[in-house]
Amino acid sequence: MATQMQLAREGKVTDAMKRVAEEERIPAETIRERVARGSIAICANVNHENLTPRGVGEGLRTKVNANIGTSSTFPDIEPELKKLDEAVRCGADAVMDLSTGNNIDLSRKRIIEHSPIMVGTVPLYQATVRSIKEHGAVVEMTDDDLLETIEAQAKDGADFMTLHCGVTRAAIEHMRAQGRVMDIVSRGGSFIAGWMLHNEQENPLYERYDDILDICEKYDVTISLGDGMRPGCTADATDRAQLTELITLGNLVDRAWKRGVQVMVEGPGHVPYDQIAANMKLEKRLCRNAPFYVLGPLVTDIAPGYDHITSAIGGTLAAVSGADFLCYVTPAEHLALPDIDDVHTGVITARIAAHAADLVKGVPGAREWDLKMAQARKELDWQAQLDLAIDPELAREKRGARNPQDEGACSMCGDYCAVEIIHKYFDKRECPCND
């Protein structure tokens, strides 16, 4: 079975491309052209049966991902399925199953069966858990263990996979030579780096990349090239290790595209505000405009409990500067496994950041949404305002709790509402310029 990229190169507009085009208000032929050259990825595993396809990349609405999944502390899958439902309800475009708890296979299968949106996975997590359980240590993992895990997750219907192929011995040596405050903070990056240092071998995900491409081509899995060397604090941003990995990822993008395998590239991390635009431009240049998927970036390290905000600040600039896909950050980041309320807040906050960028990028429909809200506010049409709100339930709750019934103005201004005043005195007079 051919991949979306292979079919696009043959000049075929697939059903998935048509659905993406309809959602994005862009001609289907434009979607096909961009899928063919790799600047758009349609993450749609052939075995994900109830998926509504969505595109990530050039000219499209900035997408939002929500992370869910079990942990060794909270191994029950049921709360994660409720988080999935909440993420979908709040408008997430994708979820990633980061499960490391009991029965990872069952957790993944249930999430994929339950999800109408894209599902991503991190095969290295499961391979590591398996190695620890069977052999007592992650360093006993074999490259065949990794490939078997990738194949199993692809067969189950994972639409995209984070693969830490760019964590090479050269990148680790550059990190050691330059020095870092926080070394490696990526969980997958630390797993594979520990394996490499213990075994004194190159990264098997890098050395067996052609075998990985075989699997991803078979199931049309989009590779999300993981940023295992991403900075975990602003002091480590844009250093030699991060950029060495990024150069490697650019080469791996080329190799995937030659096979007709779709690919995205993952990016930082914790980045000072004044370095974000440069990071986005570097990725787009080195990776030939492949879709860019970023965590944040978080613009400061001092706000645990509010990192959804530090992430949104960076996410908007990142998307304006070229990022295509924002991974949400919740108020629980750096503190705990997020609960369902954290998921809600994380998705809505990331969507606000994405929409703010889409206004600047001229994404179809973005400005129209804001204009409708402005018109509703001018008319003091509260029903329209609440319907147009990105989080209608919260808006209705605030409006209903703090305003008299059927009051035209809000309780912030009361009798001195600027909108009511200007309606009374300005709109009833003819404009002097008409004289």
Side-chain angles (χ1 to χ4, degrees):
M1 185 175 292
T3 67
Q4 293 288 328
M5 175 174 272
Q6 290 167 346
L7 292 169
R9 289 175 175 173
E10 294 172 5
K12 298 177 181 177
V13 176
T14 65
D15 289 341
M17 295 175 203
K18 291 176 183 176
R19 295 183 74 174
V20 170
E22 183 177 356
E23 184 210 350
E24 300 284 350
R25 306 185 198 178
I26 291 175
E29 178 60 20
T30 301
I31 300 296
R32 185 202 65 77
E33 289 174 355
R34 294 174 184 174
V35 171
R37 66 171 180 257
S39 63
I40 287 177
I42 299 177
C43 308
N45 188 309
V46 295
N47 287 343
H48 190 171
E49 295 181 354
N50 63 327
L51 175 69
T52 299
R54 289 179 183 165
V56 180
E58 182 184 357
L60 306 185
R61 178 175 56 81
T62 305
K63 301 305 186 295
V64 168
N65 172 74
N67 290 336
I68 60 172
T70 64
S71 72
S72 56
T73 308
F74 296 98
D76 185 7
I77 185 57
E78 295 303 327
E80 303 311 306
L81 294 176
K82 291 178 181 177
K83 293 177 190 177
L84 167 58
D85 287 338
E86 183 66 12
V88 173
R89 191 178 71 85
C90 291
D93 302 286
V95 293
M96 288 199 74
D97 173 18
L98 307 185
S99 292
T100 56
N102 297 334
N103 206 334
I104 296 173
D105 284 326
L106 177 61
S107 296
R108 178 179 61 258
K109 289 176 181 178
R110 291 196 64 190
I111 287 171
I112 293 171
E113 289 171 358
H114 198 73
S115 178
I117 59 177
M118 300 180 285
V119 176
T121 62
V122 188
L124 185 55
Y125 289 2
Q126 183 174 13
T128 296
V129 170
R130 173 183 169 187
S131 181
I132 291 172
K133 286 183 177 180
E134 293 182 359
H135 308 297
V138 62
V139 295
E140 300 300 325
M141 177 176 58
T142 69
D143 53 354
D144 286 336
D145 290 336
L146 279 168
L147 288 169
E148 287 172 10
T149 304
I150 293 169
E151 177 95 45
Q153 296 192 3
K155 187 175 182 181
D156 284 344
D159 300 299
F160 63 98
M161 293 183 185
T162 293
L163 298 172
H164 300 81
C165 304
V167 181
T168 59
R169 299 181 76 174
I172 294 172
E173 288 308 310
H174 281 305
M175 182 186 72
R176 277 179 161 171
Q178 184 171 6
R180 268 188 171 186
V181 174
M182 290 197 66
D183 300 322
I184 298 175
V185 299
S186 160
R187 184 161 47 176
S190 70
F191 291 159
I192 203 66
W195 186 95
M196 293 161 62
L197 292 168
H198 177 83
N199 292 288
E200 298 183 347
Q201 294 181 36
E202 186 55 273
N203 182 352
L205 291 169
Y206 178 75
E207 293 204 315
R208 300 287 300 272
Y209 191 63
D210 285 334
D211 295 322
I212 292 171
L213 292 176
D214 288 340
I215 297 169
C216 292
E217 181 182 9
K218 180 178 179 181
Y219 298 96
D220 199 3
V221 175
T222 298
I223 296 176
S224 189
L225 291 166
D227 53 340
M229 307 301 291
R230 69 173 180 266
C233 62
T234 56
D236 293 337
T238 326
D239 68 355
R240 297 170 192 168
Q242 178 193 333
L243 297 183
T244 298
E245 180 182 39
L246 184 58
I247 291 169
T248 300
L249 299 185
N251 292 328
L252 296 177
V253 167
D254 290 346
R255 289 172 61 184
W257 284 350
K258 286 180 181 178
R259 292 283 297 275
V261 173
Q262 299 183 103
V263 65
M264 301 186 293
V265 177
E266 298 184 15
H270 292 239
V271 182
Y273 193 82
D274 64 339
Q275 296 180 31
I276 291 174
N279 269 263
M280 303 304 111
K281 293 181 188 304
L282 276 170
E283 187 279 340
K284 288 294 182 176
R285 174 64 174 166
L286 294 175
C287 300
R288 303 187 193 276
N289 205 36
F292 199 17
Y293 175 28
V294 297
L295 176 66
L298 284 71
V299 296
T300 180
D301 304 326
I302 55 88
Y306 296 91
D307 277 326
H308 57 302
I309 297 174
T310 68
S311 171
I313 293 168
T316 296
L317 180 56
V320 167
S321 304
D324 306 288
F325 197 4
L326 304 182
C327 184
Y328 86 165
V329 173
T330 78
E333 185 78 8
H334 300 113
L335 299 172
L337 187 75
D339 63 17
I340 197 164
D341 291 333
D342 293 321
V343 170
H344 177 101
T345 300
V347 172
I348 294 296
T349 307
R351 285 188 61 211
I352 293 168
H355 176 71
D358 290 347
L359 282 170
V360 177
K361 294 195 291 187
V363 170
R367 288 194 176 276
E368 290 86 345
W369 188 2
D370 273 46
L371 182 58
K372 287 179 181 178
M373 179 64 85
Q375 291 167 337
R377 284 179 173 154
K378 178 180 179 181
E379 300 300 326
L380 291 175
D381 184 344
W382 286 103
Q383 186 59 51
Q385 290 180 59
L386 299 176
D387 290 343
L388 288 164
I390 198 166
D391 190 350
E393 289 183 7
L394 180 61
R396 287 191 176 92
E397 177 187 333
K398 298 288 186 187
R399 171 67 184 167
R402 303 179 188 179
N403 292 278
Q405 189 73 18
D406 298 324
E407 182 71 21
C410 76
S411 57
M412 176 70 180
C413 295
D415 294 337
Y416 307 102
C417 173
V419 175
E420 285 190 331
I421 291 169
I422 206 68
H423 270 307
K424 182 176 180 180
Y425 293 106
F426 182 78
D427 289 357
K428 292 182 180 179
R429 298 177 60 187
E430 293 186 5
C431 178
C433 63
N434 292 330
D435 294 342

